[in-house]
Every structure is written in C-alpha cells, then in structure tokens.
Amino acid sequence: MIENSMFEEEPDVVDLAKEPCLHPLEPDEVEYEPRSSRLLVRGLGEHEMDDDEEDYESSAKLLGMSFMNRSSSLRNSMSVYRQSSNGSCSLPSTRTMVVCTVILVIAVALIMVIYLLPKCIFTKEGCHKKNHTMELIYPLATNGKLFPWAKIRLPSDVVPLHYDLVLQPNLTSLKFSGSVKIVVNIIRVTWKIVLHSSGLNITKATITSAGGHQEKPAELLEYPLHDQIVVMAPEALLVGQNYTVNIAYSSNLSDTCYGFYKISYKDENSKQRWFAATQFEPVAARSAFPCFDEPAFKATFLIKIRRDEKLSTLSNMPKKATTPVTNGIVQDEFFVSLKMSTYLVAFVVADLKNISRETNGSLVSVYAIPQHINQVEYALNTSVKLLEFYQNYFLINYPLEKLDLVAIPDFQSGAMENWGLITFRESSLLFNSRTSSARDKKLITAVIAHELAHQWFGNLVTMEWWNDLWLNEGFATFMEYFAMEEIFPELHSDEDFLNLIFKAMMKDSLNSSHPVSSAVQSSEQIEEMFDALSYIKGASLLLMLKHYLTKDVFQAGIEVYLHNHNYGCAQSDDLWDSMNEITNGTLDVKKLMKTWIVQKGFPLVSVVRKGKIISVKQEKYLYLVEPENWTSDESYLWHIPLTYITSSCNFTHCTNAYLLDQKSAVIELPEEVEWIKFNVDMNGYYIVHYGEDWKTLIDLLKKNHTALSPKDRANLINNIFSLAGLGKESLEKAFELIDYLNKESSTAPLTQALFQLSLIYNLLEKKGEQQLAARLMHRIECLLGDKIDQQSWTDDGALSQRELRSTLLAFACTHDIRNCRTTATEMFEKWVNSNGTMSLPSDVMKAIFTAGAKSSDGWDFLLKMYSSSVSEAEKSKMIEALASTEDVRKLIWLMQNSLEGEVIRTQELSHIIATVSQSLPGYLLAWDFVKENWEKLTRKFHLGSYMIQNIISWSTSQFSTKAHLVEVKSFFESKSEQSSQLHSVKEAIDTIQLNIQWMERNLAMLQELL
C-alpha cells in the first residue's frame, strides 16, 4: 500500500475539463480502476484505499462545497427584508414571498437530488459507463503539458513487431548514443504511442506510415515517474496499419549493474580496462533504448553496434557483417532475432577470448577476458552435455545457430539467460582445476543447467506478466536439479535442493510470505518476485507434481505446454491445462495445483497411528506473531499428495500415495506396522507432525538409521526442530532425535543438523548467553568430534565425501573445535612462506584462509593475494575469510570498500555482509553499515532487488531483543513508503519477532538440556 503521506509534495495534476488538449481522448483513457486510478494519475502508483472510503471522501468534499454555496445564496436572498428607518422590519411583499418560496423549494430539491443520487457521481472517477465522457485527471509531462496516460502498465492499443537498434558505446567517455526504429501495429485507433524510457536524453522522434518514406515530426512527452514517454502522432493512427517510430537518444553507461553498464577490471599487465555489458531483467531494457518493456510485447530485433576496432561485440544472434564507419570505428551487424521479450535482449562490448564446440547444428562458445580463458573448458563441456539433454527431453531443438556463455568481471546475479548470449558472474562459470573445490564445481554446473533450461522456459515460452515469474524461475530451478541428477549423478545435487527447500519453507512459514503467483505492478514489486518462493517453492511444487503424476505423464505435459505456447506467452493456468490434456480427466491438475500457487504458506500434516488406522489432518503451518500481523488460517485448504513408507516395506518402489483434499481423513493400512514415515524423500512441500510416533522414529534412528534414506533422515531433523520452534514439540525431543548423529555418515542429515544447531548457537551468542552457547558447542563436539577427526586435509575421495569434509572442517575451524584451527594455521603459514605459490587442497582452502585471517598479518597478506589472484574460486574463499576477522576496523573497511567497488568488487557486498553478520563482533556493525549507507545501497542495487533482499535479511536475522525489533521497525518507517513496505523488511521484522519468541519459549529448556 502506498499512502500520500510519504510525499512532501504531490506532482502537479491537471483537470481535463479545464485544460485544452491538442488531441482527442480515446475510449480506453476513460476507463479507471476504482482502487488506484486517482492516485495513478497523480503519479503515485498503486494505492490500497478502500473503494468506499475513497468515494465517500470525494462526496463529502463536494457536498461541503454545495452547502457552502447554498448558504451564500440564502444570505443574499435575505436582503429582501429591509429595515425601516425606525429600526423595525417591514413585512415582505407578496412578490418577495413567492421568490423566497421558489428559492427554498429549489434548495430542498437540490439537497434531495444530491442525497438520492449515487455517490459515484461526486467522485473523480464518476460512475462507470463505456464511452462516457468524464472529467479526468492526468499527470503532467516534464515540459508541463498533459501526459495522456496514467497507468503503470502500457496500453494494449499499439504492439511492437520489430526493432532496428543502433548503438555506439564509448569506453573512453563512458557514454553511449543510439537510435531505434520500432515497427508497430495498431490494434485500436489512437493518436499516441506509449513506450518505456528511463534516463535517456531523447533528441529526435518521428513517425513514418506503412509504405511511406517521409518521416513526420512527432511531439514527445516524458513522464519519468513511470519511466514512460508518449510519441504523439500528427494524425490518427489507423487500426491494422503498421507505422515506424524513429527515436534518437544518448545516455551514460550505468555505474550500477543494471541496464547498459560499465565494468572496470585489470588486465594481465595490471592496466585498467573497461568492459560494457547489459542486464535488462526485469525492467532495465528501457534504460538502453526506448521500448515496450513488458514481457508480453514480444518482437524481433536487428542490432547494430559501433565499436573500437580493437574490441569485440556479442549479441543474441550470430554476427552478420562488420563494416568500417570512421577511422578506428567499425559497425557489427547481427542477424535478425527470433520473436522475444525486451528483457532478453543483450550485448557485450569488450576484449574477449573464447573456445567453441558445435553440437546439433549450434555453435556453443564460452567467452572470458584473456587472462581467464584457461578456466572455461569445464563450462564448455558441461554446456554441450546439458544442451543435448534438454533437446532430447523437451523434444524441441535449441532454435538458434549459436549459444554464447560470457564471464562478466562484475555481475550481481549468478547469471542471466539472455537468448543466445548468457551472461555469468565469473565465479559461476570459471573452473580452475587447482583452486576450485567440489562445491565450486557443483555451483558452476547448477548455474549453467539453470540458464540453459531458461532457453525453453522463459525464452521460448515466457510468462505473460511478472506475477507468474515462477513459470520461468521455478521451472528453470526444477530442471536444473533434474538435469544434474540425470547427467551428473556423482554431484548429488538432490541434497542441495533439499537444503534449499528447507530454507524456502522458513521464509514461507512467515506471515509476511506471499503466494507463488502474486499481483505486482511497480518495479519494486516486480524485483521482489525474484525470491526463494518463485525459485525454490516453485521448483519444489513441480517436483511434488512430477512424483504424483509419474515422470512420463509429467514430461508429456511439459512437451504439450512448450509446443502450445512456443514463441508466445503463458499464464499458470496454461501449464495446468497442458497437464490436463495428458491426464485426460483422470486428475484435475489445475484444481490440485491452484491450492499451492494462489495460497501463501504450506500445510502442517498431523499423523495419529492406532493399529492399522492412520488419521491425518491438515492445517496451515504458521508461527504466531503479533496479533495485528496475524492472518486467519481457517480458509486454507491444500490438495496434498501424501506419500508414505512403512516398516513392512521401506524401499522406494514401496512408496504409497494418498491425496488429502479435505481437512482430515483416515488411511487404513493392510496390516499393522512398527513405524510409518510420511513425505518420502521430502518430495512434498509440507511438514509432518507424528505426535506420539516421534518416539518410535527416534528409536528407529538409534537402532537402524539406514532403514530410512539420507533425505528422509534430514527431513525428520528439519521437521522436529521446526515443530519445536512452533511450540508443537519439545526441544528436548529434537535433541533426542539427533543423538544418533555419531553414527551418521551422509551429507544431507549432517548438514541439516549443523544448520539447525548453528541457528540456536547464533541466537544464544548474540543474546549474550555465552556460557550456554559454549555448552551447546560442547554438545555438538560430542556428537561430531570423531567425524571431524576422521577428515583428512586433502582433496581425496568422492565428490560427496569432499563436500562433507569442507562443511565439517569449516565449521570446526570457525568454532575452534578439536585441533582444526591449529592444523589450518600451520598450513596457512606454509602458504604465506611460499608467497602464495604453494598449492592448497581446494576443499579445505576456506577453512585454512579463515584460520589465517584471524591474525592481522595473515589478514593483510590475504588481501594482497586477493588483489593479484586470477582464480575466481580462490578469491571467493578469500573474501569469506577476510570477512570472518574479529578486527572491527577491518570489517568496516571491507564493507565500505566493497560498496565503492575499488579493491573489492561490488558484487561481493551481500556475501561480505552475510559473513560479517554471523560473528559476535560483526553483527551490530553490519546493521549499522546498512543504516548509514541505506541511500547509497538502494541507488546501487535498486529497491526490491535480490541484493537488497539479502542485505536486509542478513543484517537483521541475528536480532532477538525487543529493543532491536523497535530499532529495525523505526528505521524502515523513517524511510520512504516503498522501503517500509518491502516484503524483505516485513520478513525481517517477522524473523526478529520469532527469534524473541523462540528465546522466551526455549531458553529455560536449553539451560536444563545442556
């Protein structure tokens, strides 16, 4: 909700009834949305004022004016009573009485009419009738004239067909100039063409009719608050006709990582070089060229880029020709693109090298700056394998002749799926066999798998609007892990996905959560859709559906969806309709999945076992926070595809299924069993409470933990600690369940146990309960000490063993368990003595660097090596180690320098803040840094962006006192309404409240347990 109080001054507005207009109004301009249009036309965006409140407010003002005018009339009419000279009043004449009576009758009649007429008559919107002329209010353009469009979304009366785009970036002046010709088709007669434009200095705008050769000058109006411009035609634009809009402009290369932006880096000779690249998703194409910057406005693109002849350019399509322009400047022309959305357009201007390989008619190439070209081979091999897999799975060939993957020196996201030109953060694409760990290899593989999946889900078929972003990101995330399991089973990517689901459920359990498919309008709301719910919850719902439908039915449904909507746009219902074509009436997929897509949160399933009878019931899983933030869960009902295994048969092929589409139900087993485990391998998006049966499962883990799969064991650990936080189960029972861990050897359950115990440890430490925190760490050491001692400081073993080694030793060194820090420090000193030339085992490198950074000299040496290292994997580990120091001055310097992007790249800032906020000396520093630099942060990263979401979350997640709760609330309330209404701010406040609640509920119990 956006309130007027956030603005000191409102933008000027004009009443159309009083302002002459050069162009006639069109029918669609008089259609107003009752909840928001009055504020939209004032340029304030969406407003959640109640319809009746708004109407009554307008009516009251008008009625007040009416009564005032009538009072004035009555005073004037009183002048007919004249005083005689002696001061007494003479009787009025008959004529005067008649006049007064008539006036009174008219006044009463007016009052009755005003009272009886519908109240909408007195609002600025008026009563809705099609093609009814009303008094409208529109905003003013920058030149003071009327801007004839008031909504955030563009009108649908004009659609783009094709763009001719010419750009000339100058990497010396760091500016660029451009021109664009947009061929548009007219759907409804209009005088205006509304486009997006942001920060562009437009110098010329003309319109050419279809078949015409003469460019006619057009009036240009700009409204920066909505990033919109209007090209006013000199004559009516006719239905069915094509016109060409010609616009010339210039701008600066952006100093953020959005739009068409500049990047500084050092070459092999430590000389500063510049690199220009694009990042348009979700709404930044408009800052590189005027366009219809909404995903449904697909068009084809012909791109020409003028550059220094010593540099190279890349774009979505293969290069068609290079021609000289002037001395030292050449123009690269690319082939016309396929029909695509503006956010997928991309271009890069830089000094790059590449390696390539052809597969199935497409040339796959990986590009990097020259000093990194020896780190791209793994990415190329992985990309070819994944591209072949996706083509076979979807039964649709990759439609372009080339696919480029480019490592960008400073890139805020992990990667961006631009069609034919995928851009990556260097650490997400470059693999160094000497310094990249098992985890690094898994990350690179996952990011490539995700972005290649987008070439079908997002590029070939695009969500119609950002409310269904999950169709892009949820699908790409699902396919990422599915493809990795199929092609790279040795990476055990399913365990990573499991941990991501657990973390997404933590967010989704908060009252500040939102449905996977949520209405959005403003750029901040759109940016905020790029969160764990769109990605991870969306993917986990698809995983659940795949297991319920069976993999063959699910795959057939995906094929139908892609074939039905290729080169077009889709909504969530289109996917379910495609699935229903395959189920053919045996299951209504739409009915089932709507309960998961349009409701926020997830269900808690409670299980009671009595003999052969299993009673199950569902309710909304929700932490109770402050009453004003609480949402009733009575209306929540999910259609839950329950799965379960029992002691009678616990193999995967023995999985049973039951659709719980009521609040409660009864399942009858064929025989009595010793135990039952629901949500097999955590393939369903719900938490299970076993009640009395928790004791049975605890005993099972102690006696024979391998009776359950590693994922099932991790699932039980997660569920019981979650229930303890909810107050539905005791913390004592949760600790009893993990007592079996000294026999555990699998990564998934050990990682989940460490995660849950670390959450508790961090709360105790930051609360000032150091003694209790030390006792908890002793408990962890008793459980895992032997396992830590067994780890070797090498890169030996299978990938899963190596990853577990990284996790355990990093944890042990951070908390000084066993001899971890001693061993790590010795290895760090040897590395320093070799001046950084000695090769360290990549899997334990982070633990070694973290131990070394504890000393001032070690920290300084690590920073020096960071500046000179060419390995992104090594630099990433160094950054985390540098941010782990307890030296407050060094932490402040590190955060400030990363914000400025001088020595430490800006892309690392959220990672640095996350690490700093985990330590006792750093968690208050991180929050202070965010407060002091809030304006700089939101200019650099944009409100709502994933970077801002992470910074807010990490800098506040350790707080557990009412004083901090008040401080965080007050800080964001003192900022703009857009800031205080961010989902991530509400989530931060919910999290602090839950931390307070958790401590109040469990502190006494912990003191007894430990």
Side-chain angles (χ1 to χ4, degrees):
M1 181 173 70
I2 299 177
E3 297 178 0
N4 290 349
S5 61
M6 63 188 258
F7 294 92
E8 292 181 4
E9 293 181 1
E10 289 186 334
D12 291 328
V13 294
V14 175
D15 191 320
L16 287 189
K18 300 173 184 175
E19 178 77 5
C21 181
L22 296 175
H23 304 281
L25 293 173
E26 296 150 28
D28 66 333
E29 294 170 15
V30 300
E31 293 178 10
Y32 270 72
E33 300 173 31
R35 290 177 66 84
S36 60
S37 49
R38 191 176 70 171
L39 293 172
L40 274 171
V41 296
R42 295 187 179 189
L44 300 184
E46 291 294 329
H47 192 283
E48 297 297 326
M49 180 183 286
D50 183 89
D51 297 358
D52 290 341
E53 288 175 5
E54 190 171 354
D55 289 343
Y56 280 128
E57 180 191 53
S58 300
S59 300
K61 289 177 181 176
L62 289 172
L63 283 169
M65 290 170 62
S66 177
F67 281 123
M68 191 168 64
N69 292 336
R70 286 198 297 277
S71 299
S72 177
S73 299
L74 288 170
R75 281 198 302 273
N76 292 336
S77 69
M78 290 288 286
S79 63
V80 298
Y81 292 86
R82 303 291 181 189
Q83 285 186 321
S84 63
S85 56
N86 62 6
S88 62
C89 292
S90 60
L91 288 172
S93 66
T94 304
R95 179 173 173 274
T96 302
M97 290 291 289
V98 170
V99 170
C100 289
T101 302
V102 169
I103 290 172
L104 278 170
V105 169
I106 291 170
V108 171
L110 279 171
I111 292 169
M112 292 299 291
V113 167
I114 290 169
Y115 181 77
L116 294 172
L117 279 173
K119 64 178 182 287
C120 60
I121 290 290
F122 308 106
T123 65
K124 288 174 181 172
E125 290 87 348
C127 299
H128 290 265
K129 284 185 183 178
K130 272 198 169 179
N131 301 321
H132 182 70
T133 304
M134 294 174 266
E135 291 186 3
L136 300 178
I137 297 176
Y138 278 90
L140 290 181
T142 52
N143 62 1
K145 292 187 177 182
L146 178 73
F147 189 83
W149 187 250
K151 300 180 183 180
I152 294 177
R153 298 282 298 274
L154 298 182
S156 56
D157 49 10
V158 180
V159 295
L161 302 177
H162 176 77
Y163 293 78
D164 274 1
L165 177 61
V166 180
L167 287 163
Q168 183 166 352
N170 186 321
L171 295 189
T172 303
S173 67
L174 303 177
K175 299 177 184 294
F176 71 95
S177 59
S179 65
V180 64
K181 294 182 179 180
I182 312 174
V183 180
V184 300
N185 180 255
I186 308 303
I187 306 300
R188 287 191 295 273
V189 175
T190 185
W191 290 74
K192 69 181 185 302
I193 298 174
V194 187
L195 303 126
H196 285 113
S197 173
S198 177
L200 301 177
N201 176 31
I202 297 175
T203 54
K204 175 187 172 187
T206 63
I207 292 180
T208 310
S209 60
H213 300 290
Q214 184 180 357
E215 293 184 11
K216 297 181 180 180
E219 182 183 12
L220 185 83
L221 301 171
E222 299 182 75
Y223 188 48
L225 198 59
H226 287 173
D227 288 345
Q228 289 174 355
I229 59 172
V230 166
V231 177
M232 302 301 301
E235 57 193 18
L237 305 176
L238 304 179
V239 172
Q241 296 295 306
N242 290 352
Y243 297 84
T244 302
V245 182
N246 311 280
I247 300 175
Y249 60 95
S250 62
S251 189
N252 296 321
L253 290 169
S254 173
D255 56 2
T256 71
C257 288
Y258 295 93
F260 193 16
Y261 70 100
K262 61 180 184 283
I263 305 150
S264 169
Y265 71 97
K266 298 284 180 68
D267 65 13
E268 304 102 311
N269 303 315
S270 297
K271 181 182 176 183
Q272 185 184 46
R273 301 290 300 274
W274 289 97
F275 190 122
T278 57
Q279 171 58 41
F280 290 161
E281 190 179 32
V283 291
R286 63 192 67 175
S287 64
F289 59 100
C291 57
F292 295 78
D293 202 10
E294 295 180 7
F297 286 118
K298 289 191 169 187
T300 55
F301 294 82
L302 171 62
I303 295 174
K304 299 174 184 175
I305 300 178
R306 295 174 180 176
R307 59 167 171 92
D308 187 307
E309 61 186 357
K310 296 174 184 175
L311 300 175
S312 59
T313 62
L314 297 170
S315 188
N316 304 84
M317 301 300 292
K319 196 174 293 181
K320 181 180 180 182
T322 299
T323 54
V325 178
T326 58
N327 188 29
I329 301 295
V330 297
Q331 176 174 283
D332 292 329
E333 179 180 342
F334 298 87
F335 284 99
V336 176
S337 76
L338 299 177
K339 195 176 176 185
M340 64 182 183
S341 304
T342 49
Y343 78 86
L344 293 170
V345 174
F347 27 88
V348 169
V349 182
D351 178 16
L352 296 168
K353 289 189 176 180
N354 73 288
I355 62 172
S356 305
R357 185 188 307 171
E358 188 171 340
T359 176
N360 201 28
S362 295
L363 185 67
V364 181
S365 304
V366 183
Y367 289 81
I369 56 177
Q371 62 261 43
H372 289 162
I373 195 62
N374 61 344
Q375 300 176 49
V376 301
E377 188 174 359
Y378 177 77
L380 179 62
N381 294 335
T382 301
S383 300
V384 169
K385 289 178 184 176
L386 285 162
L387 196 64
E388 291 170 352
F389 171 79
Y390 286 140
Q391 291 180 126
N392 292 331
Y393 186 80
F394 299 136
L395 297 181
I396 297 177
N397 284 340
Y398 173 71
L400 303 183
E401 291 180 9
K402 64 97 174 175
L403 174 64
D404 297 336
L405 296 82
V406 187
I408 309 285
D410 201 353
F411 195 78
Q412 282 172 23
S413 306
M416 175 61 206
E417 68 268 18
N418 317 297
W419 215 352
L421 179 60
I422 307 175
T423 47
F424 292 77
R425 183 182 288 209
E426 287 183 321
S427 59
S428 299
L429 190 67
L430 305 179
F431 182 82
N432 185 314
S433 56
R434 192 176 67 86
T435 58
S436 295
S437 65
R439 189 169 295 170
D440 295 327
K441 177 179 276 192
K442 190 182 283 191
L443 170 68
I444 293 166
T445 309
V447 175
I448 294 172
H450 184 97
E451 303 309 327
L452 262 62
H454 269 310
Q455 306 305 298
W456 286 265
F457 288 99
N459 301 8
L460 185 66
V461 180
T462 311
M463 80 266 137
E464 194 169 289
W465 180 242
W466 300 105
N467 63 303
D468 278 328
L469 176 68
W470 82 273
L471 280 176
N472 280 21
E473 298 300 349
F475 247 118
T477 305
F478 167 78
M479 291 306 304
E480 158 192 345
Y481 288 102
F482 175 66
M484 287 174 70
E485 279 187 67
E486 294 290 314
I487 307 172
F488 308 101
E490 72 279 2
L491 293 179
H492 295 281
S493 59
D494 54 334
E495 294 180 352
D496 294 286
F497 189 32
L498 185 70
N499 286 322
L500 288 174
I501 293 172
F502 290 147
K503 290 174 183 177
M505 291 179 90
M506 287 178 69
K507 290 179 180 288
D508 203 16
S509 65
L510 303 174
N511 201 50
S512 52
S513 180
H514 64 84
V516 168
S517 183
S518 298
V520 291
Q521 285 281 339
S522 69
S523 59
E524 293 86 10
Q525 291 170 343
I526 292 167
E527 293 259 20
E528 281 207 294
M529 289 300 288
F530 291 79
D531 65 2
L533 301 181
S534 294
Y535 285 73
I536 311 304
K537 182 177 181 180
S540 63
L541 296 181
L542 292 170
L543 176 69
M544 180 171 69
L545 183 62
K546 170 178 167 276
H547 280 277
Y548 189 59
L549 294 180
T550 72
K551 63 179 183 180
D552 292 337
V553 172
F554 181 80
Q555 182 178 356
I558 287 178
E559 290 168 7
V560 169
Y561 171 74
L562 290 174
H563 280 281
N564 286 352
H565 302 283
N566 59 3
Y567 302 105
C569 293
Q571 301 176 357
S572 295
D573 281 355
D574 295 319
L575 175 62
W576 313 138
D577 289 340
S578 298
M579 294 289 179
N580 279 340
E581 284 187 40
I582 304 301
T583 59
N584 197 25
T586 57
L587 173 70
D588 189 343
V589 176
K590 185 188 290 187
K591 185 178 179 183
L592 184 150
M593 293 307 293
K594 267 188 174 292
T595 67
W596 296 93
I597 296 299
V598 301
Q599 295 183 129
K600 68 180 181 180
F602 56 88
L604 168 63
V605 176
S606 297
V607 177
V608 176
R609 179 169 62 98
K610 290 183 179 177
K612 295 191 295 181
I613 302 301
I614 310 296
S615 300
V616 291
K617 71 168 185 176
Q618 63 163 295
E619 60 187 291
K620 187 180 181 192
Y621 183 101
L622 180 68
Y623 291 104
L624 289 177
V625 289
E626 291 187 349
E628 64 266 24
N629 294 330
W630 183 74
T631 304
S632 171
D633 66 347
E634 288 301 314
S635 61
Y636 282 84
L637 178 73
W638 287 267
H639 291 191
I640 311 171
L642 297 176
T643 56
Y644 60 92
I645 53 174
T646 68
S647 55
S648 62
C649 183
N650 59 339
F651 298 106
T652 307
H653 67 269
C654 297
T655 300
N656 301 281
Y658 181 87
L659 184 64
L660 179 61
D661 55 4
Q662 302 295 325
K663 283 285 188 182
S664 61
V666 172
I667 302 170
E668 186 172 354
L669 302 178
E671 58 184 343
E672 286 195 32
V673 294
E674 293 177 23
W675 55 264
I676 187 168
K677 162 70 174 67
F678 277 83
N679 202 358
V680 179
D681 280 343
M682 185 61 193
N683 288 327
Y685 192 75
Y686 56 94
I687 279 178
V688 184
H689 184 20
Y690 293 94
E692 295 298 320
D693 254 10
W694 274 115
K695 186 177 186 310
T696 306
L697 291 168
I698 290 169
D699 290 340
L700 175 66
L701 290 175
K702 286 178 179 176
K703 293 173 186 173
N704 182 21
H705 67 281
T706 56
L708 298 173
S709 71
K711 286 195 281 187
D712 273 331
R713 302 197 295 270
N715 177 225
L716 288 177
I717 293 169
N718 171 269
N719 283 194
I720 198 163
F721 274 94
S722 298
L723 290 166
L726 197 63
K728 295 240 178 209
E729 196 49 84
S730 72
L731 197 59
E732 182 180 12
K733 198 167 284 184
F735 273 89
E736 192 181 348
L737 184 140
I738 61 171
D739 276 342
Y740 91 96
L741 283 177
N742 53 10
K743 296 183 290 185
E744 184 61 82
S745 58
S746 295
T747 304
L750 285 169
T751 302
Q752 181 56 205
L754 277 178
F755 175 75
Q756 295 293 342
L757 294 169
S758 293
L759 288 177
I760 298 172
Y761 176 86
N762 286 333
L763 280 180
L764 291 173
E765 184 188 46
K766 309 308 183 298
K767 181 78 171 176
E769 297 283 348
Q770 266 71 30
Q771 282 191 340
L772 199 53
R775 280 152 56 189
L776 174 61
M777 196 52 62
H778 177 70
R779 177 76 173 263
I780 296 171
E781 186 175 356
C782 291
L783 283 173
L784 302 178
D786 290 344
K787 190 69 60 186
I788 291 167
D789 290 341
Q790 291 165 13
Q791 304 306 311
S792 62
W793 292 77
T794 66
D795 286 337
D796 297 337
L799 239 62
S800 59
Q801 292 174 302
R802 293 173 58 189
E803 192 167 10
L804 179 60
R805 179 186 302 137
S806 290
T807 301
L808 289 174
L809 290 180
F811 180 86
C813 284
T814 299
H815 297 287
D816 203 11
I817 294 176
R818 299 299 216 232
N819 294 317
C820 185
R821 197 174 285 181
T822 303
T823 306
T825 303
E826 288 172 359
M827 294 183 77
F828 181 79
E829 286 171 355
K830 289 179 182 177
W831 180 70
V832 170
N833 292 335
S834 73
N835 201 28
T837 59
M838 186 182 94
S839 181
L840 293 172
S842 59
D843 293 329
V844 295
M845 191 180 286
K846 188 175 83 170
I848 294 168
F849 288 162
T850 301
K854 295 296 179 187
S855 72
S856 182
D857 289 344
W859 195 93
D860 291 340
F861 182 79
L862 207 54
L863 180 63
K864 185 184 95 173
M865 294 304 295
Y866 172 86
S867 303
S868 61
S869 174
V870 295
S871 165
E872 289 304 309
E874 187 175 57
K875 291 175 90 161
S876 180
K877 297 175 184 68
M878 288 175 175
I879 278 290
E880 195 162 339
L882 290 168
S884 300
T885 181
E886 295 176 359
D887 188 319
V888 170
R889 289 170 302 174
K890 284 180 166 56
L891 292 175
I892 293 171
W893 180 89
L894 201 61
M895 291 187 287
Q896 195 62 49
N897 192 276
S898 182
L899 177 59
E900 292 161 3
E902 292 175 5
V903 179
I904 311 295
R905 289 178 185 160
T906 305
Q907 68 180 23
E908 304 292 354
L909 182 57
S910 70
H911 188 197
I912 289 169
I913 289 175
T915 307
V916 170
S917 66
Q918 296 301 295
S919 70
L920 187 59
Y923 85 110
L924 294 176
L925 281 179
W927 170 237
D928 285 343
F929 175 82
V930 170
K931 287 189 296 181
E932 289 164 13
N933 294 280
W934 180 249
E935 279 70 29
K936 287 182 183 176
L937 290 167
T938 52
R939 277 199 303 271
K940 193 79 173 174
F941 304 123
H942 295 194
L943 270 182
S945 66
Y946 197 63
M947 189 75 85
I948 288 293
Q949 292 178 48
N950 281 339
I951 286 170
I952 292 170
S953 174
W954 282 113
S955 63
T956 60
S957 62
Q958 303 292 308
F959 295 155
S960 60
T961 66
K962 290 180 180 176
H964 277 131
L965 176 62
V966 170
E967 184 183 335
V968 172
K969 277 184 174 180
S970 300
F971 172 75
F972 287 110
E973 285 169 0
S974 72
K975 300 303 170 186
S976 69
E977 188 76 12
Q978 291 106 318
S979 296
S980 64
Q981 292 302 313
L982 290 174
H983 274 306
S984 47
V985 170
K986 295 175 182 177
E987 179 188 302
I989 291 167
D990 275 359
T991 301
I992 298 168
Q993 289 172 332
L994 289 176
N995 289 346
I996 294 168
Q997 191 181 91
W998 194 97
M999 292 298 286
E1000 289 173 349
R1001 179 180 289 144
N1002 293 301
L1003 189 59
M1005 171 69 73
L1006 274 173
Q1007 286 167 340
E1008 290 180 21
L1009 283 175
L1010 303 173

